[in-house]
């Protein structure tokens, strides 16, 4: 999988869209390190630490998880990040649920973490499939609580928050 995140926070496939975000049309710089065809490292060079190839602006910390408790991905966990997390089967979705074709490809639902208010919400997506929160269909934003059960397609997920009133990342440190 070749997902990357643009400077506005959108996740997208570089294989499909190249280095231009399809949501905001912003160009993403390719990795600065190029591979060269030098011979294998000598024993003295093996002790040197190689630079990290990837995002250098820090880590986008996890704020919570969805854990599949029923469906084809039973036991699989999905990271929930700050702000909007689009859910679907497509490669460019933040939360990609594979194996359940009753989940819409794009935007079946959205989970939002609001770092200012320190709470999570489940929003209906703009696809045809419904999202359920504790067996109730979601037609407007619903606040999530620890261990709520979400159903998307034929799959059920347990919501596990990390951030909230008891913990919040120090965004200056990450």
């Amino acid at each position: 999988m070749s997902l990357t995140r643009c400077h506005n926070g959108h996740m997208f496939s570089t294989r499909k869209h190249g280095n231009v975000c399809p949501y905001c049309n912003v160009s993403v710089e390719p990795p600065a390190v190029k591979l060269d065809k030098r011979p294998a490292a000598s024993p003295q060079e093996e002790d040197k630490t190689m630079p990290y190839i990837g995002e250098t602006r820090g880590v986008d910390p996890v704020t919570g998880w969805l854990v599949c408790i029923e469906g084809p991905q039973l036991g699989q966990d999905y990271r929930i990040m700050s702000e909007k997390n689009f859910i679907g089967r497509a490669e460019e979705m933040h939360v990609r649920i594979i194996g359940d074709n009753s989940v819409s490809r794009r935007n079946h639902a959205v989970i939002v973490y609001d770092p200012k208010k320190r709470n999570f919400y489940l929003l209906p997506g703009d696809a045809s499939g419904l999202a359920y929160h504790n067996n109730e269909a979601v037609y407007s934003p619903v606040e999530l609580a620890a261990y709520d059960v979400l159903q998307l397609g034929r799959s059920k997920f347990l919501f596990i928050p990390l951030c909230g009133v008891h913990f919040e990342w120090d965004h200056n440190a990450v």
Side-chain angles (χ1 to χ4, degrees), residues 49-68:
T49 302
M50 293 301 294
Y52 171 71
I53 301 173
E55 192 171 325
T56 58
R57 292 186 296 144
V59 174
D60 192 8
V62 66
T63 61
W65 297 269
L66 287 180
V67 179
C68 184

Side-chain angles (χ1 to χ4, degrees), residues 1 8 11 28 34 37 40 42-44 46 73-74 84-85 89 91 94-95 99-101 103 135 138 151 153:
M1 197 165 20
N8 292 324
M11 293 293 291
V28 177
K34 295 182 180 176
K37 304 207 187 249
S42 66
Q44 293 100 358
E46 286 183 16
Q73 296 296 310
L74 182 69
K84 292 182 180 179
N85 296 266
R89 289 182 294 127
E91 190 174 332
H94 298 107
V95 176
D100 185 346
N101 289 338
V103 172
N135 289 322
V138 175
Q151 182 174 347

Side-chain angles (χ1 to χ4, degrees), residues 118-135:
R118 294 183 172 191
N119 51 12
F120 292 87
Y121 290 94
L122 174 65
L123 285 69
D126 57 8
S128 61
L130 288 176
Y132 292 87
H133 171 256
N134 296 330
N135 289 322

